[in-house]
Amino acid sequence: MGKEIGGDAFTADDFVRFGRRLAVETRHARAAYARGDFANTGTVAGFELEAWLVDDEFFPVPRNMAFLARMNNPLVVPELSRFNVELNGTPQRLFGTALSRLEGELTATWQQCLRVARDDAAALIAIGILPTLRESDLSPASMSPYRRYAMLNEQILTLRGGRPLTLDIVGIDSLSTTHTDVMLEAATTSFQVHLQTPASAAARTYNASMILAAPLVALAANSPFLFERALWHETRVPLFEQAVDCCDPGHPEHLRVTFGSGYLGADPTACFAENLSSYAVLLPFEVPGPVGSYAHLRLHNGTIWRWNRLLIGFDDSGAPHLRVEQRVMPAGPSIIDMIANAAFYYGVVHMLASQTVAPEARIPFAVARDNFYRAARYGLQAPLVWFDGQRATAAELLARELLPMARVGLAQLDLAAGDVERYLGVIAARLQSGQNGANWQLAHYAKYHDFFRLTADYLAHQRRLMPVHEWPI
């Protein structure tokens, strides 16, 4: 989805040709996995960070094209809306000082973004949902001028039969509204972490990521407000799921944004066959190249936003690899918080995926899914059901079991001891204080009842590179 597509309109023949090529590539990927053609070595980490451009009154400012031209940095690219951009990290082999290298590069890119934005009387902020966002900001006029976005909007509405998208969220407060386009999706910004694994470990890693999604979203929650209403601790979750809902009525299992339909079995590429059979093609753009480039499979996969998504990529040698994209974490609150969240994820998922008894045998998929939505709604105090029916709040589970597990996992991955202490120390302090981004925002608003002051204070703390557990209210 990150690459521009050509053409002005799609015909019925476009869908037929794309579908045939998609089927061929899906069969090819499954056969290639069975032959052992996917890379089976190395563990590689990476990320994508979505951020907001705001003006001096803290409203979103739709000037990303001019901003990107001045940036002239291949690591910073457009997003759906003109007031969002995406920062990427160079993939790092997950050993030694990989984590601090990720942080160092992100900090340097972020500081460049701040300088360039300042030249245009703007600022950059990383936050799951901007508290000062107005519903009127989310209009087609704010859509980035790329055909892929316009066509995506057109096709989703076509599949809905022209019915408007309905947003209905019940949380601390409630919100109900309708939109005639997909721009609601632009209200959600994420910190997506990638983990490339040996192909033989991909299914276990994916399943472990799904199990870990609940405590991870509780730990990282940073999106409590939308249109001046307090909703879920991670309101991105219901917002994104409803913002691009193009499934047929009565078939929620085919939602484009979903926790998934079940754990993966021995063959992880089965998820691509599910994509082929269960999801309508949205962007039937033909891409020249060999079947083994999987261009159509990857494009189709990019229009299905599972909260954990399996991706195909290619190594420097040209060999295909599999990686997990963990999508549950919001942007922010600070750079060190985000890298600490990534470190925690990498450590715990490694431990879960390498247990003798697969964790997915100890927690039913339906329980893992229910945990995820409770954690998104209630944050650190969410009641979770863990292995073998154990019950605890997310905060208790994180402190008692998962943080020690992360330390062992990062040590087994041979990450630098200083990095492990630095990043997991941030997680420990956050858990001890009980202050993640969502709790800080909720407490700040409860004290001042001012979304502009909230955003101003948030941005000031973020610019100082302070971890959120140190933020005063």
Side-chain angles (χ1 to χ4, degrees), residues 32-358:
Y33 180 82
R35 292 193 302 269
D37 291 350
F38 280 83
N40 208 35
T41 59
T43 305
V44 181
F47 67 81
E48 304 166 49
L49 169 61
E50 299 160 346
W52 302 75
L53 283 166
V54 295
D55 62 21
D56 56 6
E57 294 182 337
F58 307 108
F59 289 122
V61 55
R63 297 199 292 264
N64 68 348
M65 301 311 295
F67 170 83
L68 292 168
R70 292 194 305 275
M71 278 291 297
N72 192 29
N73 185 333
L75 294 177
V76 187
V77 298
E79 263 292 336
L80 170 63
S81 81
R82 292 176 183 262
F83 46 74
N84 292 138
V85 295
E86 178 184 284
L87 288 68
N88 292 272
T90 304
Q92 302 286 336
R93 293 282 179 184
L94 197 53
F95 72 96
T97 59
L99 295 170
S100 54
R101 291 197 302 274
L102 288 171
E103 183 189 7
E105 181 183 58
L106 177 55
T107 300
T109 305
W110 188 258
Q111 297 294 355
Q112 182 192 3
C113 287
L114 293 181
R115 290 192 299 271
V116 171
R118 189 165 55 242
D119 291 341
D120 197 23
L124 205 69
I125 184 170
I127 189 169
I129 299 174
L130 186 68
T132 54
L133 179 70
R134 300 157 296 192
E135 196 163 356
S136 60
D137 293 316
L138 302 174
S139 72
S142 294
M143 185 179 292
S144 291
Y146 291 94
R147 285 299 300 161
R148 66 179 181 271
Y149 298 134
M151 289 178 165
L152 185 68
N153 180 67
E154 177 183 296
Q155 292 303 312
I156 286 175
L157 292 175
T158 296
L159 286 177
R160 291 183 59 82
R163 292 177 292 115
L165 290 148
T166 300
L167 186 63
D168 190 2
I169 304 174
V170 177
I172 300 169
D173 300 324
S174 60
L175 173 65
S176 182
T177 187
T178 59
H179 268 243
T180 57
D181 53 70
V182 300
M183 285 300 290
L184 281 169
E185 192 240 317
T188 71
T189 52
S190 307
F191 177 63
Q192 299 157 16
V193 296
H194 291 234
L195 180 59
Q196 177 189 331
T197 68
S200 59
R204 288 286 304 269
T205 300
Y206 183 87
N207 293 343
S209 295
M210 298 182 84
I211 291 167
L212 185 57
L216 186 61
V217 78
L219 177 68
N222 191 35
S223 313
F225 296 109
L226 175 63
F227 305 149
E228 299 188 348
R229 289 175 176 84
L231 298 168
W232 291 20
H233 281 232
E234 195 45 54
T235 305
R236 283 173 47 258
V237 169
L239 173 56
F240 193 17
E241 290 195 352
Q242 296 176 38
V244 290
D245 174 12
C246 57
C247 71
D248 295 330
H251 293 278
E253 70 275 12
H254 296 166
L255 286 167
R256 305 300 287 214
V257 185
T258 173
F259 189 72
S261 59
Y263 294 128
L264 289 179
D267 178 5
T269 63
C271 71
F272 303 129
E274 181 184 349
N275 291 349
L276 173 67
S277 63
S278 299
Y279 292 95
V281 170
L282 293 183
L283 299 174
F285 179 72
E286 287 193 90
V287 183
V291 171
S293 67
Y294 305 123
H296 302 78
L297 186 158
R298 296 164 76 195
L299 178 57
H300 184 54
N301 194 38
T303 66
I304 302 162
W305 297 274
R306 292 182 183 89
W307 290 108
N308 287 271
R309 185 161 63 178
L310 192 67
L311 303 177
I312 293 177
F314 293 88
D315 295 339
D316 292 340
S317 65
H321 67 245
L322 295 171
R323 69 180 186 274
V324 176
E325 181 186 45
Q326 171 60 274
R327 303 174 54 83
V328 308
M329 291 184 285
S334 71
I335 289 175
I336 191 170
D337 283 312
M338 290 184 283
I339 300 300
N341 293 341
F344 173 84
Y345 166 73
Y346 293 137
V348 178
V349 83
H350 169 77
M351 292 295 291
L352 292 176
S354 59
Q355 288 183 1
T356 302
V357 177

Side-chain angles (χ1 to χ4, degrees), residues 253-469:
E253 70 275 12
H254 296 166
L255 286 167
R256 305 300 287 214
V257 185
T258 173
F259 189 72
S261 59
Y263 294 128
L264 289 179
D267 178 5
T269 63
C271 71
F272 303 129
E274 181 184 349
N275 291 349
L276 173 67
S277 63
S278 299
Y279 292 95
V281 170
L282 293 183
L283 299 174
F285 179 72
E286 287 193 90
V287 183
V291 171
S293 67
Y294 305 123
H296 302 78
L297 186 158
R298 296 164 76 195
L299 178 57
H300 184 54
N301 194 38
T303 66
I304 302 162
W305 297 274
R306 292 182 183 89
W307 290 108
N308 287 271
R309 185 161 63 178
L310 192 67
L311 303 177
I312 293 177
F314 293 88
D315 295 339
D316 292 340
S317 65
H321 67 245
L322 295 171
R323 69 180 186 274
V324 176
E325 181 186 45
Q326 171 60 274
R327 303 174 54 83
V328 308
M329 291 184 285
S334 71
I335 289 175
I336 191 170
D337 283 312
M338 290 184 283
I339 300 300
N341 293 341
F344 173 84
Y345 166 73
Y346 293 137
V348 178
V349 83
H350 169 77
M351 292 295 291
L352 292 176
S354 59
Q355 288 183 1
T356 302
V357 177
E360 53 267 38
R362 300 177 62 194
I363 182 167
F365 174 79
V367 174
R369 180 188 58 212
D370 291 347
N371 279 344
F372 172 67
Y373 291 105
R374 281 197 301 272
R377 182 166 182 173
Y378 299 110
L380 288 170
Q381 293 309 308
L384 303 183
V385 180
W386 201 237
F387 296 143
D388 307 320
Q390 299 176 64
R391 295 178 181 271
T393 67
E396 292 167 344
L397 179 65
L398 285 158
R400 184 181 67 231
E401 292 191 31
L402 299 181
L403 183 57
M405 191 180 294
R407 292 185 184 278
V408 176
L410 293 177
Q412 288 187 2
L413 288 167
D414 201 22
L415 272 298
D419 280 5
V420 173
E421 183 56 37
R422 170 176 165 78
Y423 299 115
L424 295 189
V426 167
I427 300 297
R430 191 188 310 163
L431 292 172
Q432 185 173 15
S433 69
Q435 183 166 285
N436 61 7
N439 285 340
W440 182 88
Q441 290 189 54
L442 288 164
H444 191 288
Y445 185 75
K447 183 174 182 178
Y448 298 109
H449 300 282
D450 186 335
F451 287 109
F452 295 93
R453 179 168 181 173
L454 187 161
T455 307
D457 289 350
Y458 180 106
L459 182 57
H461 298 329
Q462 185 176 88
R463 283 174 167 170
R464 296 186 187 104
L465 305 178
M466 297 168 60
V468 70
H469 69 268

